[in-house]
Amino acid sequence: MDVKQQIEAYIASQPEPKRSDMQELHRIILRVLPGCKLWFLDGKNSENKVVSNPNAGYGSYTIKYANGTTKEFYQIGMSANTTGISVYVLGIPDNTYLAETYGKTIGKASVSGYCIKFKTLKDINIDILEAAIRYGVGVTNED
């Protein structure tokens, strides 16, 4: 199964209404990042132990670690959680930017340094979510 099929199977495995919301988010992210690299992480570590929720990733940027090493990773991520959906906007250097810029206007969502968590899409302003995604992609592509 290729990555696109893994993402589609992951979304299809979710109960409604989360499944429909994730399908719509997938479509929105692909519209913002047409032709981007797709990622699927099953949430398991090298010993096959579950360490996180499975997640779909979109785009690519280079993580630079303090010790000088680097690693390619996705820019935007999407994951189901027990209460709803999380969207990850990775690579933003200022860990207060998302919350300060989008937290008050996005709707019923919890916004942290790199994560926007909400119960359903109808609870949030999708235009604001798209703006946060576009900002994250712009920042991580400045190199």
Side-chain angles (χ1 to χ4, degrees):
M1 196 173 352
D2 69 13
V3 175
K4 184 174 185 260
Q5 293 169 317
Q6 288 177 304
I7 292 170
E8 289 168 358
Y10 170 58
I11 293 170
S13 75
Q14 300 303 313
E16 286 296 353
K18 194 180 292 186
R19 177 184 323 134
S20 293
D21 281 353
M22 289 182 75
Q23 285 170 330
E24 178 64 10
L25 264 175
H26 179 66
R27 190 187 66 71
I28 289 166
I29 296 168
L30 290 176
R31 190 178 69 228
V32 173
L33 292 167
C36 68
K37 179 174 181 173
L38 297 176
W39 304 67
F40 182 74
L41 287 79
D42 64 7
K44 295 177 182 170
N45 67 10
S46 57
E47 285 112 47
N48 214 29
K49 290 184 181 168
V50 175
V51 294
S52 71
N53 291 326
N55 54 87
Y58 307 84
S60 177
Y61 85 106
T62 303
I63 298 172
K64 297 172 180 115
Y65 294 103
N67 68 2
T69 61
T70 60
K71 174 178 143 184
E72 182 186 19
F73 204 64
Y74 59 73
Q75 295 170 294
I76 307 299
M78 173 180 70
S79 178
N81 59 56
T82 54
T83 58
I85 301 167
S86 295
V87 173
Y88 308 101
V89 183
L90 304 178
I92 298 174
D94 178 354
N95 66 1
T96 63
Y97 185 85
L98 273 186
E100 289 176 357
T101 307
Y102 305 106
K104 288 182 176 59
T105 55
I106 199 162
K108 289 183 356 189
S110 159
V111 184
S112 70
Y114 65 91
C115 181
I116 301 168
K117 189 166 30 173
F118 51 91
K119 186 169 177 152
T120 66
L121 275 180
K122 71 179 187 333
D123 292 336
I124 65 164
N125 183 324
I126 293 172
D127 291 338
I128 301 296
L129 178 63
E130 267 194 61
I133 290 168
R134 287 182 196 283
Y135 174 78
V137 171
V139 168
T140 55
N141 281 330
E142 286 179 352
D143 299 312

